[in-house]
Amino acid sequence: ELAPHFDHQHGGFGRAPKFPQPMIYEFLLRYHLLSGDPMSIEMVELTLDRMAQGGMYDQVGGGFHRYSTDPYWLVPHFEKMLYDNALLSSLYLHAFQATGRPLYRKICQEILDYVVREMTDPAGGFYSSQDADSEGEEGKFFVWTPEEINQILGPENGPLIAQYFGVTPNGNFEDCNILTVLQETEPFARANGISTAEMDRRLGYARTLLLEARSQRVHPSRDEKILSGWNGLMLRSFAEAAAVLGRNDYRRIAIETATFLLR
């Protein structure tokens, strides 16, 4: 039933808009583990890879936007929902358990770290969503120009990081750039004459600087109501990630959230 509707080039189901639909991939993961069916895991991996590389994923701050307006996971509706990120962090964690691929562990941790940083109420619990708009423009908080990248990262790192994230003078969204990963790190590093470890180091440093610079912008507004059901999904993801990844900080957050909800 699912296979005829799958996009075997870009991942996901149907054309556009494309929603992440994490529960489908949870089913496919389990079906693969029960049956050994290779197509099931192929559908999961292609989709998770493309979503993680695309503009629907916040390449600087972590976390997924709500859906892609195109078939390529490039231009998102920039709203971020707690329930999406709860279900997707769990999905990437389970995909890491099933495949052992470091990318999936990385995405899971980046999603959870984003929720800690931007979606956690000091009194306990997680906020519901972040808006798509800031200063009256959709996506303004998340997009970049080549000049901004070079100014923040400097003449040595700026052009390299801009190339990695597909940043061009013409842009891919209203004369600006949604950051996307056009090529995996290893072949990109090799093509640019540096080691994968050095490229990872430069990317980590660049993300830190870009996130710091972005934090100075006008933030999208948040829906700060705390819904028990959505918090339950997020709590589960923190608890499972704590167990699987050995992260005591996630364990502490899970316990604090559970205590808050019970009280």
Side-chain angles (χ1 to χ4, degrees):
E1 182 70 25
L2 288 170
H5 303 286
F6 186 70
D7 182 342
H8 289 276
Q9 185 174 3
H10 305 291
F13 292 92
R15 296 290 297 163
K18 270 186 179 170
F19 287 81
Q21 303 184 83
M23 300 312 295
I24 290 178
Y25 303 102
E26 292 279 10
F27 164 75
L28 289 171
L29 267 180
R30 283 157 178 75
Y31 182 69
H32 168 72
L33 292 171
L34 287 167
S35 68
D37 174 59
M39 183 185 289
S40 303
I41 195 70
E42 288 167 12
M43 287 194 280
V44 173
E45 290 196 72
L46 177 61
T47 304
L48 266 56
D49 289 356
R50 293 293 183 269
M51 286 202 305
Q53 293 165 343
M56 204 180 98
Y57 187 66
D58 182 352
Q59 301 293 340
V60 169
F64 279 95
H65 300 293
R66 190 154 174 246
Y67 61 85
S68 175
T69 63
D70 55 59
Y72 322 110
W73 308 108
L74 172 61
V75 178
H77 174 51
F78 286 91
E79 187 177 20
K80 285 182 177 180
M81 307 299 295
L82 183 69
Y83 63 83
D84 281 330
N85 284 289
L87 293 169
L88 286 164
S89 54
S90 288
L91 172 60
Y92 275 87
L93 180 70
H94 298 156
F96 168 67
Q97 289 179 281
T99 67
R101 291 184 56 193
L103 171 65
Y104 300 153
R105 176 183 59 207
K106 171 179 171 288
I107 297 297
C108 172
Q109 292 182 123
E110 287 178 357
I111 295 171
L112 296 180
D113 292 345
Y114 149 72
V115 171
V116 173
R117 187 181 66 246
E118 298 188 36
M119 296 291 282
T120 304
D121 190 281
F126 306 112
Y127 300 136
S128 292
S129 66
Q130 283 182 320
D131 280 357
D133 300 1
S134 56
E135 300 183 85
E137 295 180 32
E138 176 160 358
K140 183 173 183 178
F141 181 74
F142 298 100
V143 297
W144 303 86
T145 64
E147 293 75 22
E148 287 174 320
I149 300 285
N150 289 329
Q151 183 180 0
I152 294 163
L153 302 182
E156 181 183 357
N157 248 353
L160 180 73
I161 299 301
Q163 183 187 350
Y164 179 80
F165 284 123
V167 174
T168 66
N170 292 331
N172 56 23
F173 179 74
E174 298 180 357
D175 301 322
C176 291
N177 292 269
I178 302 166
L179 302 189
T180 61
V181 178
L182 301 180
Q183 190 178 21
E184 291 185 9
T185 306
E186 185 177 350
F188 180 86
R190 189 167 57 246
N192 283 275
I194 58 176
S195 68
T196 304
E198 172 64 13
M199 188 64 209
D200 285 338
R201 187 193 68 78
R202 291 196 190 192
L203 278 171
Y205 184 57
R207 283 192 173 104
T208 299
L209 293 180
L210 292 172
L211 184 62
E212 185 179 324
R214 196 176 76 176
S215 70
Q216 307 304 312
R217 298 177 177 177
V218 176
H219 284 245
S221 60
R222 278 188 307 219
D223 180 348
E224 296 188 350
K225 69 174 173 286
I226 296 172
L227 299 174
S228 58
W230 296 7
N231 271 249
L233 294 172
M234 199 75 247
L235 163 60
R236 174 188 173 181
S237 191
F238 273 104
E240 288 191 350
V244 173
L245 305 178
R247 290 283 298 261
N248 283 330
D249 54 336
Y250 293 165
R251 179 176 177 272
R252 176 182 53 78
I253 291 163
I255 291 171
E256 288 175 356
T257 303
T259 303
F260 169 79
L261 292 173
L262 289 168
R263 285 177 178 168

